[in-house]
Amino acid sequence: MNTKKSDSKWTPGRIGIIGSGSWGTALAKIILATQPDINWYFRFKETVRQFRQHKHNPSYLTNQQFETDRINFYTDIPKIVEDSDTILLVTPSPYIKNILGKMTPEMLEGKFVLNAIKGIVPEDNVLISNYLADEYGIPLDMIGAISGPCHAEEVALGRLSYLTVSCANIDKAKQLQKVIQGPQVMCGVSDDVTGIEYASVLKNVYAIAAGICQGIRHGDNFQAVLISNAIGEMARFIDAVHPLERDIKGTEYLGDLLVTAYSRYSRNRTFGTMIGKGYSVKQAQLEMEMIAEGYYGTKCIHEVNLGVKASIPIADIVYQILYERKDPVKAIEELSKILS
């Protein structure tokens, strides 16, 4: 297998995608632009049947047509893991423990795991990469993350997008780059897996803050101040938990924050807007019918920061609003007095 070769000859091999939502569908489209075929897991056989019949995902990005003869469909997680060299995780974070629970360390031995989940393992409050290393014994150079300012909806529209693939082994990141980069997708590389994963969590928290401010009718002027301060918070927190020389202005940090905070496609901004308009957390979650990763990320960052003690007042305010039921108008008013 490819994973048994030396690093200089390592290649990602056959890609297995676990996740069939909008982001998983977008990544499948991206990868099929460079690879002859993919393995792809779906939970239900009926979804696979409809996909084969209509040539598109019946539930997400339905305007995206696929050559289904280039897709090996699976409804069995152990089987797709067995048949794949690189496992791409693209499920919502609340479901990740259930998905990984169907795997064993032995099944994942020799496999490269690429995390595309912009969230954490809820309740455990740990990054996906740390969970994979600690619970499954996967070496750090066999774990990667992919992130960047890249909404699935814009991938579907064929709009130019940017991603970053990270791995502790930069040579492997470069091999993965070849899989991702195509005519409409630019792809960079990094060795900052921890920093990029935390940035992916934080940007969702700040997008909720931006949405809350939108919901209470603060304008563009305040949004600019909010996000300017948010990138400073992101830098302080990530530097505290994982000191490393990094350019926080890079697309994998600032770029992802900006698109998530401002885009109409951002479900975290939408969730925050509903909270700002007076919805309860439960009401907003039920009406959205999609996962807002930032809700879980907010608690994770809060609990991690109890030990780190970085200055992150925006993230603190979001936690107070979502988990302590603080009035959004009063909370943002307090926040506005300490931003600069």
Side-chain angles (χ1 to χ4, degrees):
M1 286 179 60
N2 289 324
T3 48
K4 299 299 184 182
K5 297 177 182 177
S6 66
D7 287 350
S8 62
K9 295 182 180 179
W10 182 88
T11 64
R14 175 161 285 180
I15 311 293
I17 301 175
I18 298 180
S20 56
S22 57
W23 186 215
T25 303
L27 285 171
K29 196 72 175 178
I30 289 170
I31 293 168
L32 281 170
T34 65
Q35 303 300 296
D37 62 1
I38 57 170
N39 297 337
W40 197 355
Y41 168 80
F42 285 78
R43 184 178 178 188
F44 300 112
K45 292 181 179 179
E46 175 60 19
T47 307
V48 172
R49 187 194 68 77
Q50 291 183 32
F51 199 133
R52 283 196 170 111
Q53 179 180 353
H54 300 293
K55 310 298 184 184
H56 65 74
N57 188 329
S59 303
Y60 299 93
L61 303 186
T62 55
N63 63 327
Q64 286 296 286
Q65 293 292 309
F66 286 83
E67 298 175 51
T68 53
D69 59 343
R70 297 174 59 201
I71 301 172
N72 305 303
F73 291 98
Y74 291 79
T75 56
D76 181 86
I77 287 177
K79 183 60 177 171
I80 191 173
V81 171
E82 178 185 350
D83 292 348
S84 305
D85 302 299
T86 293
I87 311 298
L88 179 58
L89 298 175
V90 209
T91 62
S93 64
Y95 308 140
I96 188 58
K97 285 186 75 173
N98 181 55
I99 292 291
L100 291 175
K102 301 179 189 301
M103 308 177 196
T104 65
E106 292 74 23
M107 288 167 55
L108 290 169
E109 186 176 355
K111 310 290 184 179
F112 191 97
V113 183
L114 183 60
N115 170 36
I117 303 168
K118 298 188 176 185
I120 47 86
V121 181
E123 298 181 6
D124 291 67
N125 291 327
V126 297
L127 298 175
I128 306 296
S129 61
N130 291 344
Y131 190 83
L132 291 168
D134 295 342
E135 299 294 324
Y136 289 85
I138 301 175
L140 292 179
D141 72 342
M142 292 296 286
I143 299 172
I146 182 169
S147 189
C150 187
H151 279 306
E153 293 81 359
E154 292 212 340
V155 171
L157 292 169
R159 292 177 178 167
L160 187 61
S161 302
Y162 288 74
L163 287 167
T164 298
V165 175
S166 58
C167 178
N169 184 317
I170 201 70
D171 290 331
K172 289 180 179 176
K174 289 177 180 177
Q175 289 297 319
L176 289 160
Q177 178 187 36
K178 297 175 183 178
V179 173
I180 301 300
Q181 184 155 303
Q184 297 300 320
V185 180
M186 305 300 293
C187 186
V189 296
S190 170
D191 61 358
D192 186 19
V193 177
T194 297
I196 286 174
E197 284 189 311
Y198 267 124
S200 294
V201 176
L202 284 161
K203 59 97 178 183
N204 288 332
V205 177
Y206 298 131
I208 291 175
I212 291 171
C213 292
Q214 170 80 6
I216 62 177
R217 303 186 68 80
H218 279 324
D220 293 344
N221 295 341
F222 186 73
Q223 290 279 6
V225 173
L226 179 76
I227 300 307
S228 295
N229 280 264
I231 192 62
E233 280 195 23
M234 181 181 285
R236 289 194 296 273
F237 181 88
I238 296 175
D239 286 346
V241 296
H242 187 57
L244 187 74
E245 185 176 342
R246 60 175 62 86
D247 182 6
I248 203 70
K249 300 186 298 298
T251 57
E252 64 270 45
Y253 309 104
L254 177 58
D256 205 6
L257 168 61
L258 291 174
V259 76
T260 311
Y262 289 144
S263 176
R264 62 191 176 93
Y265 296 121
S266 170
R267 62 188 65 178
N268 289 283
R269 178 184 170 90
T270 299
F271 176 75
T273 300
M274 296 171 75
I275 298 297
K277 288 181 176 179
Y279 286 71
S280 69
V281 168
K282 193 67 174 177
Q283 288 171 331
Q285 289 174 325
L286 288 172
E287 185 156 326
M288 283 185 64
E289 297 183 343
M290 293 190 296
I291 300 294
E293 294 279 7
Y295 173 71
Y296 304 96
T298 295
K299 185 178 180 183
C300 166
I301 296 301
H302 173 77
E303 296 194 359
V304 172
N305 200 48
L306 291 175
V308 174
K309 301 188 185 306
S311 175
I312 51 171
I314 300 173
D316 289 340
I317 286 293
V318 175
Y319 178 83
Q320 291 167 22
I321 293 170
L322 298 184
Y323 287 90
E324 297 178 352
R325 301 184 179 180
K326 190 165 187 174
D327 178 74
V329 175
K330 292 180 180 178
I332 297 301
E333 181 181 357
E334 292 175 11
L335 178 65
S336 68
K337 294 175 181 178
I338 63 174
L339 299 181
S340 58

